[in-house]
Amino acid sequence: MRVDAHHHVWDLAVRDLPWTHGSPVLHRTYTVDDLRPALLRNAIDATVVVQTCAVAEETAELLALAAGDPHMRGVVGWADLTDPAVADRLAALREGPGGRALVGLRHPVTDEADPDWLARSEVRRGLRAAADAGLVHDLLVGADQLPAAVRAVRELPEVRFVLDHAGNPVTDPEAFALWAGHMTALAACPNVAVKLSGLVTRTTGDPVRTLRPFTDVLLSALGPRRLMYGSDWPVCLPAAGYDEVLTLAETLTAGLGTEESEAVFGTTAARWYGIGT
């Protein structure tokens, strides 16, 4: 089973996304039908679609799309983790169209000014409520928020986490060393997996040469059974097309055995998100 564990869709006629304004490539509507030829061309069996904005209505919209789509097997949506009634909100989503596809939540912590946002008591309460509902929490953090993410993973062993885009690392040598230390810390926590996604947009020059040190750290620290491939389509498009992103990931993991490669490109995501065949 081949799984793309991270992509997006959006309709700008329904909702504007200000973060797309600076890119002519991204500032347009993208549907799963736009993505489908690439999925079929690359024998991708299932995908996980991920929220694009902190708007509750988007989650219900994504679930409704998943209800009628043969590829979209999982939805990582958004809900207000600080809402005391978040458990009821999640139950309502589960009962709505496509509700069974809800596999996780994500909050764009990168938009929070507080680097310790994940340590807030009301956020922790929401994370536990999501875990009680059987949901994974995708972590979208920047470099200065990684320490708080590591603490959250360590201090909430009952919550299953997925670190998106490998924590958005940078190539500066000092920053790389700090990032590698955080990955080693996460490796000691069995309740977290890491997405090999969203990295091509952070490269200049040869992407294989730029990203190999990061991939080597991830494979060494966490192993392929805790790594999952995600295209980050269409956010990847200013840097590379779908096929190029997949080929890059395959090149960076070319030394793996068959079962290990199957883990990165399918079984880890299927197991972590509970996506059946």
Side-chain angles (χ1 to χ4, degrees):
M1 186 177 187
R2 299 250 290 178
V3 179
D4 180 346
H6 195 106
H7 76 89
H8 306 281
V9 295
W10 59 74
D11 186 345
L12 296 185
V14 173
R15 183 175 302 106
D16 186 33
L17 296 175
W19 59 268
T20 68
H21 289 181
S23 171
V25 175
L26 297 181
H27 192 57
R28 50 152 287 193
T29 292
Y30 284 96
T31 71
V32 71
D33 287 333
D34 295 323
L35 175 60
R36 192 147 359 251
L39 300 177
L40 296 173
R41 191 166 58 245
N42 291 285
I44 302 296
D45 301 296
T47 73
V48 176
V49 63
V50 180
Q51 60 86 221
T52 65
C53 57
V55 175
E57 289 79 6
E58 184 195 39
T59 303
E61 293 160 4
L62 293 175
L63 290 171
L65 284 176
D69 193 273
H71 281 106
M72 292 168 54
R73 302 283 193 87
V75 172
V76 173
W78 182 86
D80 183 0
L81 292 173
T82 67
D83 182 352
V86 65
D88 294 334
R89 310 286 186 217
L90 297 177
L93 286 169
R94 279 275 173 78
E95 293 169 3
R100 291 198 303 175
L102 185 65
V103 296
L105 296 178
R106 185 176 81 158
H107 179 82
V109 183
T110 48
D111 291 344
E112 300 291 343
D114 180 5
D116 289 320
W117 186 85
L118 285 163
R120 295 182 180 182
S121 60
E122 65 272 25
V123 174
R124 294 286 180 94
R125 183 190 62 226
L127 290 170
R128 292 187 180 97
D132 289 343
L135 302 179
V136 174
H137 185 77
D138 272 34
L139 288 163
L140 178 60
V141 297
D144 63 331
Q145 298 159 330
L146 261 177
V150 172
R151 290 196 302 274
V153 171
R154 184 182 291 140
E155 294 168 7
L156 296 170
E158 70 274 31
V159 181
R160 288 178 300 138
F161 291 95
V162 174
L163 180 65
D164 285 358
H165 312 328
N168 290 305
V170 295
T171 56
D172 173 79
E174 183 176 350
F176 175 84
L178 289 172
W179 170 85
H182 295 316
M183 295 307 103
T184 300
L186 287 177
C189 304
N191 58 321
V192 65
V194 175
K195 282 185 183 176
L196 191 61
S197 64
L199 298 177
V200 69
T201 54
R202 309 182 69 81
T203 63
T204 56
D206 180 1
V208 173
R209 182 175 180 179
T210 302
L211 295 180
R212 189 171 297 283
F214 297 101
T215 309
D216 288 349
V217 167
L218 293 171
L219 288 169
S220 175
L222 291 115
R225 289 172 179 82
R226 289 171 65 189
L227 293 181
M228 61 182 80
Y229 163 75
S231 66
D232 199 27
W233 182 94
V235 179
C236 65
L237 293 179
Y242 192 97
D243 293 5
E244 295 172 90
V245 173
L246 179 56
T247 298
L248 174 61
E250 290 173 335
T251 300
L252 290 167
T253 58
L256 299 178
T258 300
E259 290 187 7
E260 292 176 324
S261 180
E262 289 174 350
V264 174
F265 293 97
T267 57
T268 299
R271 173 170 50 87
W272 217 259
Y273 287 117
I275 299 171
T277 56

